[in-house]
Amino acid sequence: MTDRRILLVEDEPGLVMTLGDRLRSEGYEVESAADGPSGLDQASNTAFDLIILDIMLPRKNGLDVCRDLRQRGIATPILMLTARGQTVDKVVGLKIGADDYLTKPFEMMELLARVEVLLRRAPPAAATAGDVYQFGPIRVDLRRTEVQRHGKPVALSAKEFQLLRYLLEHRGTTVSRETLLSEVWGYGGVTSSRTVDVHVAWLRQKLEEDPHQPQWILTVHGLGYKLSG
């Protein structure tokens, strides 16, 4: 039996049920999302070993979801499901970061074979020691995108987590607001640094014992921010 985790992003309830049941019978853990934004959120905030992603989704299509995941640095293998004849979508999907595609309707055995091939290439999503950071009562698991304070889960937005991750990876180094805007938000040119200040304040509210006298996320006046500890 395997403990590999698969996210199925598909809006057809019948296919979700059939495919989910078959994958579970093969020993996989399966979660599902019924539209693009939900799939993007789950894939961004939870560690999966594989994403099965339909192109035709409500609210946000699979190509946009795939592109956004890759832009966020999420390297989880993606198997895209396309309708018959969507050759252009297949090409675009592979160019923007999909690892493989399968045309509907498909044979279950073919899908299972492709899943096995993609999972053989990918390391398990379980965290390694280098993915886990501890400072004071705060524990951050980067691979699983989990944060705990005094052993209790802390809910962070995707952008708050990305900011915390960047500060962790540059721990002890003063990072300017401009660098954070560029590296975390992807902003170039002249943009208000107030965006950074607001997100730092939110992080302090959730992580510091006293947000007004922070112990971990420090302001270096005139220069930027630094994660201590």
Side-chain angles (χ1 to χ4, degrees):
M1 296 292 282
T2 177
D3 59 357
R4 306 299 286 270
R5 305 183 70 216
I6 296 175
L7 175 62
L8 174 59
V9 189
E10 170 62 63
D11 66 321
E12 296 181 32
L15 183 55
V16 171
M17 181 178 296
T18 302
L19 190 48
D21 286 348
R22 183 57 189 272
L23 288 168
R24 291 184 187 96
S25 75
E26 296 290 325
Y28 300 111
E29 295 180 26
V30 182
E31 293 186 27
S32 63
D35 59 50
S38 299
L40 178 61
D41 182 64
Q42 285 179 247
S44 298
N45 294 291
T46 305
F48 291 98
D49 295 286
L50 175 69
I51 300 166
I52 299 175
L53 178 63
D54 192 10
I55 285 184
M56 300 299 291
L57 292 169
R59 299 175 59 207
K60 188 182 188 80
N61 70 55
L63 293 173
D64 288 340
V65 173
C66 178
R67 182 201 61 219
D68 289 354
L69 287 172
R70 295 307 188 228
Q71 288 179 346
R72 293 179 182 187
I74 295 168
T76 307
I78 294 175
L79 171 61
M80 300 206 77
L81 304 180
T82 71
R84 187 182 301 278
Q86 289 178 311
T87 306
V88 173
D89 285 343
K90 294 173 187 175
V91 173
V92 172
L94 293 171
K95 282 186 176 180
I96 63 177
D99 297 273
D100 198 359
Y101 65 85
L102 194 57
T103 301
K104 293 180 179 179
F106 51 80
E107 294 292 333
M108 188 66 72
M109 293 307 296
E110 183 179 3
L111 180 133
L112 291 173
R114 290 175 185 248
V115 165
E116 287 181 18
V117 168
L118 290 173
L119 288 175
R120 274 202 302 270
R121 298 178 193 164
T128 63
D131 295 319
V132 179
Y133 291 80
Q134 182 88 34
F135 54 102
I138 300 159
R139 182 180 186 277
V140 183
D141 187 329
L142 295 181
R143 189 66 180 86
R144 295 188 179 277
T145 59
E146 294 174 349
V147 180
Q148 294 181 343
R149 182 168 172 262
H150 295 298
K152 296 180 179 179
V154 177
L156 299 183
S157 70
K159 196 57 66 179
E160 288 167 355
F161 188 86
Q162 290 162 17
L163 173 59
L164 177 60
R165 178 183 188 131
Y166 192 85
L167 291 172
L168 276 169
E169 291 174 343
H170 298 80
R171 196 167 178 171
T173 302
T174 300
V175 184
S176 70
R177 291 172 175 83
E178 291 74 19
T179 296
L180 290 170
L181 279 171
S182 172
E183 297 298 323
V184 179
W185 277 266
Y187 293 163
V190 180
T191 309
S192 172
S193 62
R194 182 66 180 155
T195 300
V196 176
D197 297 338
V198 169
H199 281 76
V200 167
W202 288 342
L203 272 182
R204 285 172 172 166
Q205 288 288 339
K206 295 178 179 182
L207 300 180
E208 300 279 2
E209 299 290 339
D210 181 357
H212 300 293
Q213 294 184 314
Q215 182 179 0
W216 309 113
I217 305 173
L218 307 179
T219 300
V220 183
H221 293 288
L223 294 175
Y225 294 102
K226 175 172 69 173
L227 186 71
S228 179

